[in-house]
Amino acid sequence: GNVETPLATLYGLDPANPNRGEFGAFVTASVRKDIFKNVTYISKLDLYSNYLKNPANIDVFWTNQFKMKVNKFLQVSYSLDMLYDDDVKNPVAPTHALGLQVLSTLGVGFAFKM
């Protein structure tokens, strides 16, 4: 029958060694800004360079969030996260990096006091 390939193999992980050390520089920047009275923009950018392996390939994690208070009962948020790390292997093409990963999330919150 068919033999299933373990996820660790697909993603280039060694199950016997769960840790991997790196040496490099990490920089983070964040901003929080009220765009309108009821809309807030929050952004955080993280950059990392591994000095020991391909220091010019900078890992990027950038998260952006918009929070809007519609009224005292309803709040809406939208998030857009982007991640690039050349060490994350593509399970479809294991010799290549996965590339830019994007996550988009819409949240709606309801609240009331009793």
Side-chain angles (χ1 to χ4, degrees):
N2 292 339
V3 177
E4 185 175 327
T5 304
L7 285 176
T9 302
L10 289 174
Y11 287 99
L13 302 174
D14 179 4
N17 187 8
N19 299 312
R20 184 178 86 194
E22 293 185 1
F23 176 75
F26 179 79
V27 176
T28 187
S30 61
V31 65
R32 181 183 186 101
K33 179 78 175 157
D34 291 331
I35 299 172
F36 301 107
K37 188 173 110 172
N38 63 334
V39 178
T40 303
Y41 170 67
I42 304 163
S43 180
K44 182 178 175 191
L45 176 65
D46 295 329
L47 304 172
Y48 175 73
S49 174
N50 182 356
Y51 290 158
L52 303 178
K53 180 184 173 194
N54 298 327
N57 289 344
I58 298 174
D59 299 342
V60 178
F61 179 63
W62 187 20
T63 183
N64 297 278
Q65 184 177 39
F66 294 90
K67 290 184 176 183
M68 180 173 66
K69 186 171 184 175
V70 178
N71 57 38
K72 67 180 184 177
F73 303 109
L74 180 65
Q75 182 168 327
V76 177
S77 67
Y78 173 73
S79 297
L80 179 65
D81 298 336
M82 292 172 275
L83 171 69
Y84 175 80
D85 184 344
D86 65 316
D87 293 324
V88 178
K89 299 302 178 200
N90 185 340
V92 177
T95 59
H96 297 87
L98 190 57
L100 181 66
Q101 300 174 68
V102 178
L103 172 66
S104 178
T105 309
L106 178 65
V108 179
F110 300 96
F112 63 93
K113 292 183 181 179
M114 297 184 75

